[in-house]
Amino acid sequence: MKTLNSEFLVQTLQLIFLQPLNLLLIVVGMLLGLIFGALPGISSSMGIILMIPFTYYLAPVPSIILLVAVYAGAAYGGSITAILFNTPGNPGAVATTFDGYPMTKNGKGGKALGFAISASAFGGIFSAIIMLLFAPSLSKVALKIQSAEYFALTLLGIATIASIGSKNLAKALIMACLGIVIALIGMDPMAGVTRMTFGKVELLSGVPFIPIMIGAFALAEVLKQVMTNITQMSKDEIAQVKNVNLETTKLSELFSYYKTLFKSSLIGTLIGILPGTGGSIASIVSYGEAVRSDKNPDKFGKGAPEGVIAPESANNAAAGGAMIPTLVLGIPGSPATTIILSALILQGLQPGPQLMKEQPLMLYAIFFSMLIASILVFFGGKFGVKAFASLLKLPYKFLAPFILMFSILGSFAIANNVFHIWIMIISGIVGYFMKIYDFSPASLILGLVLGSMMEENFRRQLLITNGDFSSFFTRPISLALLLAILAILMYPVVSKKLSKKTAQVAK
Amino acid sequence: MGEIIFHIGIFITMGIFYNELGNVNVNRVTDVVGPVGFPKVFLILGMILTLISLYQTIKKYRKQENKEFKLNMNVQFYGIIISMILFTLLLGKLGFVISGFLLLVALLYNLGESNNVKVFTISTISILVFTLLFGRILSVPLPRGLGLLKEISYLLY
């Protein structure tokens, strides 16, 4: 099967390397991502959101390059605090604390950071190559997918993020339903009538999801931080960072752990492809696999380099893997890719199989910017640690006003409309309560982004088949996807019952 | 208790949406589902799930020994929300520069900075950077305010 088009490949390389702005955006985006990922309280999703206002004024390719570079950098950034302070900067770096922090305590913090940087870069490069090789073929297959399958796919995306990516299935599904309903506010494209607008002219064209996203992720997070009183690092901890000297890992040293490296990168890419999973699950699974398959599992938790390499390579590989369903099918794999998907839509592009056909250059540019950003992690990582030491001095009371100002400008600038700031504020307040009561904001956003697509495909399928509802079950791929949804939704219930049974047997 | 109230809030919101669907003109329906069918299904599903989750939450609440009602909000929380609401209300009248400056001052005081020099220096420099970056470089038509403030704003962006 033909996978790579050399003509487009050359054009993409020219687009990136001959246009200094694009290259600059990759470097800046990667460094910003690194900082966002490292600072506890700023997730990669929030980092990408803070960059969205700038994309309104960039052409589609540079704007997506910027967001993708932030995304790639943030996947590594979380490991810095995980290794140095036992505080993961993002959920994907939780597993890195298991061996990274013991390495710091053993005086090998610099070594651990070196391994983290190299493994992150390797994981990122690995998944970017997988994307380059397989996304074109996958999009050809995806082109054969019709309305019934699309409907099932959107449903699968929401079901997975609700089932696996959240703490409470029922609450996540409630949020997904609400997200879908909000997405349907405005003009019905098929019948040409207005729905749920309450007579408001502002709602005729629907509810914009970017201000909701900014509110639910950025403002809600700031509110949560001021409630939990996250304080800045202590002076001792800052001194600890300053004393750490990053040790560059030689390639030969890194590849002496080649089994862990390749296995974890593959696990990360595959898990990343699944909707709703992402870096945190990938890193935990690959860490578990590294422990399970090692001849000496007792060394883990005490500062084993494999304990840093496995989660870091998987975490970064998952970031690349999650881009595959986002671009090829238009179904995002994580909250961060949901935001990137929204940015693509904002630029007038429709992610999905047609994107590969109509905008191949854009797709290759995304893959290459991830690849270059991952390579730059090798160099930028070192700078990131140094810059991070000075950034740690910045208390949250100074950081929060900047986040809020960016949130305001990001909401306003989308259509130069003050009404969008109100939507952002309301979403922020509701988003805060969603967070503290375990209602999943990610499910709401995914419902919001996929709602219209879901309805459109569902109704189109019924139009084609003269209202035959059974057509969703008679098409093999659609049926398989619907069965997968059922299995995914049943998973938390079954696993809970099984663990109860196991506990009873153990007693 | 807060969680119970939140559940009820969601249920009422969904109910309002459901009720609003009754006002949709369904005479021009072109397909089996129509413009209200799809949102109705998800609203009903959402309301059923909310009731199930509410029942579980009430059960959990009854088992709790400490039934003290806490809203999980502190002064800083209210401060942020009120500052942002006031900013949005004043934006059209005072323009971005003045209202943004006031917002930053309010936020910095609210989040615990007591040094007046720091508060005013950071707010002034930040608002100028934001204005020049978004208003001039990115050409965002930031609100200019009314009267004299509008005229002055043209000097900046």
Side-chain angles (χ1 to χ4, degrees), chain A residues 57 171 195 198 432 459, chain B residues 3 20 31 35 72 138 140:
Chain A
Y57 306 95
K171 288 177 180 174
R195 300 181 287 190
F198 302 93
Y432 165 74
R459 288 169 71 181
Chain B
E3 199 174 343
E20 179 68 10
D31 59 329
N72 283 318
L138 297 175
V140 177

Side-chain angles (χ1 to χ4, degrees), chain A residues 421-463:
Chain A
I421 304 178
W422 287 116
I423 293 179
M424 186 272 292
I425 295 173
I426 294 166
S427 309
I429 299 168
V430 177
Y432 165 74
F433 288 107
M434 279 162 64
K435 271 175 194 263
I436 61 165
Y437 297 136
D438 292 334
F439 283 84
S440 157
S443 301
L444 176 91
I445 301 298
L446 207 61
L448 202 61
V449 174
L450 296 179
S452 313
M453 187 179 170
M454 190 190 270
E455 188 200 30
E456 200 183 307
N457 284 294
F458 182 77
R459 288 169 71 181
R460 191 184 296 148
Q461 177 66 17
L462 290 175
L463 266 178

Side-chain angles (χ1 to χ4, degrees), chain B residues 62-116:
Chain B
R62 278 186 180 161
K63 278 183 194 165
Q64 271 177 12
E65 283 181 13
N66 181 12
K67 289 186 176 141
E68 193 190 339
F69 177 60
K70 274 201 293 186
L71 255 180
N72 283 318
M73 291 188 272
N74 61 12
V75 180
Q76 291 183 329
F77 182 100
Y78 285 117
I80 290 174
I81 301 297
I82 293 168
S83 318
M84 290 186 75
I85 291 174
L86 285 176
F87 163 83
T88 317
L89 288 171
L90 294 173
L91 192 59
K93 293 179 181 72
L94 299 181
F96 178 75
V97 178
I98 305 285
S99 49
F101 171 77
L102 293 174
L103 174 70
L104 286 170
V105 169
L107 286 173
L108 284 166
Y109 276 129
N110 177 47
L111 292 170
E113 182 52 59
S114 50
N115 185 327
N116 293 337

